[in-house]
Amino acid sequence: DIRFDVVIDALIAKRNMGTTRDEAELVLGLGPGFTAGEDTDIVIETNRGHHLGRIITQGSAVENTGIPGNIGGYTTERVLRAPSDGLFESGFDIGDSFHKNDIIGSVNGTKIRAHISGILRGLIEPGIYVEKNCKVGDIDPRNDSSYCGTVSDKSRTIGSGVLAAVLNKFNH
């Protein structure tokens, strides 16, 4: 029964999980999976590079490459993935330091090991049901725990695109 002025689908799920243009006066979708002018009013580019944060009013963002951005010389190695379907468990917190091959968590008793050394920068909540290959966390190889409590350059740029789109709509 509530009508919103703005809805922002910021799940970054790489696909539309059900967002439609009729949800608000302005509907934004972040990243691939949305088409401006069809299921959203605006799409914001989330792929690193020259167009990161770009406001798209017709069409879609760049397709998902499946390759995480390069940080400290690492891409896919940074990402922690579920080895099977089941409940994710971990006793660690964002900001904890790890070495390559350390056990970071498990799914149904199958261990998840760090592929590189670094700081745990992202982690889903333990006790969540995950599907095989679901991203459950990521490691920042720069080993600087201060990055865990600050907004990344990528997030700041995407957020700036969102803000610009909203201001453009409502502050003519």
Side-chain angles (χ1 to χ4, degrees):
D1 293 336
I2 298 174
R3 180 74 178 155
F4 296 99
D5 293 326
V6 179
V7 167
I8 304 166
D9 186 324
L11 291 174
I12 316 282
K14 314 291 197 264
R15 62 180 195 228
N16 186 338
M17 303 293 287
T19 299
T20 61
R21 284 177 75 184
D22 63 357
E23 294 178 25
E25 186 173 341
L26 177 64
V27 177
L28 289 85
L30 276 53
F34 301 102
T35 303
E38 291 180 20
D39 51 4
T40 62
D41 297 299
I42 292 174
V43 174
I44 303 296
E45 182 60 67
T46 60
N47 191 25
R48 287 184 188 274
H50 184 73
H51 296 292
L52 178 65
R54 182 172 62 112
I55 298 168
I56 302 166
T57 57
Q58 289 294 315
S60 302
V62 173
E63 291 290 322
N64 179 24
T65 64
I67 300 171
N70 185 324
I71 295 179
Y74 296 98
T75 59
T76 56
E77 306 93 337
R78 305 187 291 109
V79 179
L80 304 169
R81 297 202 177 271
S84 63
D85 294 355
L87 291 180
F88 172 72
E89 296 300 331
S90 178
F92 297 101
D93 293 311
I94 291 174
D96 288 345
S97 183
F98 290 93
H99 295 287
K100 183 176 180 176
N101 293 320
D102 283 353
I103 298 167
I104 294 177
S106 65
V107 175
N108 290 343
T110 303
K111 297 171 184 167
I112 301 170
R113 294 183 183 272
H115 299 293
I116 61 172
S117 297
I119 297 285
L120 192 59
R121 178 120 188 247
L123 188 70
I124 67 168
E125 188 71 26
I128 298 288
Y129 180 86
V130 295
E131 294 180 356
K132 183 177 182 176
N133 292 323
C134 174
K135 179 179 177 181
V136 296
D138 80 55
I139 297 174
D140 188 329
R142 297 171 292 185
N143 218 27
D144 185 340
S145 62
S146 72
Y147 294 155
C148 298
T150 59
V151 177
S152 71
D153 58 338
K154 180 177 180 179
S155 296
R156 184 175 288 110
T157 302
I158 292 168
S160 294
V162 169
L163 178 60
V166 172
L167 290 175
N168 186 53
K169 171 71 175 178
F170 294 103
N171 287 324
H172 277 79

